[in-house]
Amino acid sequence: MRDRRAGRCLISCAVLLFVACTTTIEPPATPSDPVAVYLLDHGRTPSLVLPVDDAGGEPGMLRYAYGDWRWYALEQKSSGQGVAALLWPTRGALGREAIPGPPGEAAVRAGVEVPIETLHPVLVGAAEVAALAARLDALFESEIDTLVEAPGSGLSFVHHPEPYTFLHSSNRAVAGWLRELGCRVRGTALWSSWRVAPAPAGAPDPSATMPPGRGDPPPPAPQETR
């Protein structure tokens, strides 16, 4: 009996720890002109994919991530560097990758070469997406003279003005971007453990087909039979 109780206690503690570490994203209930963005969980760190139009006006996507400069941009992944990034402020890095369109889950999976443990589509307003993409793009371009290619992540990195700290990490930066998109974020976002709350009844489904230019192309219209 004692062994069973101890087992139940351990299971309960594990469940509570998992719940405490999980960050829950609540998308806006009624986004205006809804589009899907994609939160990618890579295991220990996340990235966020936004639908955008390229310079020629063609639909595409940009993947953004934030992290420690030496660890992510320079790919100096020693244990000492990892400890340093956790214990005191270090230089922050903003990563960006262009992904060919049209925007949609299939294109994200095909275009992102690093492993994706979980892909979370999140439905938000088009105006908020455009504003966040413009802000991040302007920040990236303002530091373009610091550009470094990081083949291990598939991202190009530039300096970020905010230092990387335990309380301003890759996970918490992405949580902040989701808030800019009108999402409510519940949890500490200290670890890369994410959950997207179910959409309210009657809300659009982010995994469903989006209108033309806002997601995967719609299926062809059924042919009339004669």
Side-chain angles (χ1 to χ4, degrees):
M1 289 292 292
R2 289 181 179 178
D3 289 343
R4 288 183 180 178
R5 289 176 181 174
R8 291 196 199 103
C9 183
L10 287 173
I11 292 172
S12 298
C13 289
V15 170
L16 288 174
L17 181 62
F18 175 78
V19 171
C21 292
T22 298
T23 301
T24 300
I25 309 302
E26 295 182 1
T30 55
S32 177
D33 191 12
V35 296
V37 301
Y38 300 94
L39 171 61
L40 309 185
D41 183 351
H42 302 288
R44 289 186 297 179
T45 60
S47 60
L48 186 65
V49 178
L50 305 177
V52 296
D53 292 336
D54 65 18
E58 295 297 320
M61 294 173 286
L62 287 175
R63 179 167 74 102
Y64 289 99
Y66 172 85
D68 170 73
W69 177 258
R70 289 186 178 273
W71 185 278
Y72 290 95
L74 304 184
E75 300 186 328
Q76 298 176 358
K77 299 186 177 181
S78 66
S79 57
Q81 181 56 37
V83 171
L86 288 174
L87 293 182
W88 55 78
T90 57
R91 180 175 293 282
L94 178 64
R96 184 178 71 179
E97 178 188 21
I99 303 173
E105 181 174 337
V108 173
R109 293 191 180 278
V112 176
E113 296 183 359
V114 294
I116 301 171
E117 287 199 359
T118 313
L119 185 152
H120 301 280
V122 183
L123 208 61
V124 296
E128 288 77 10
V129 172
L132 176 60
R135 186 180 73 79
L136 293 177
D137 208 45
L139 179 58
F140 192 94
E141 294 299 328
S142 71
E143 298 287 346
I144 199 66
D145 59 336
T146 65
L147 182 70
V148 170
E149 302 291 340
S153 64
L155 295 161
S156 302
F157 283 97
V158 298
H159 288 174
H160 192 285
E162 292 189 58
Y164 180 94
T165 67
F166 181 68
L167 295 178
H168 188 254
S169 62
S170 56
N171 293 292
R172 290 175 68 87
V174 169
W177 297 343
L178 288 165
R179 290 189 181 97
E180 289 187 57
L181 296 176
C183 298
R184 182 186 179 193
V185 180
R186 292 191 287 110
T188 61
L190 291 176
W191 319 108
S192 193
S193 177
W194 304 88
R195 171 181 173 271
V196 177
D205 180 1
S207 63
T209 300
M210 304 299 295
R214 298 297 186 185
D216 292 321
Q223 298 296 315
E224 182 181 352
T225 57
R226 296 185 182 275

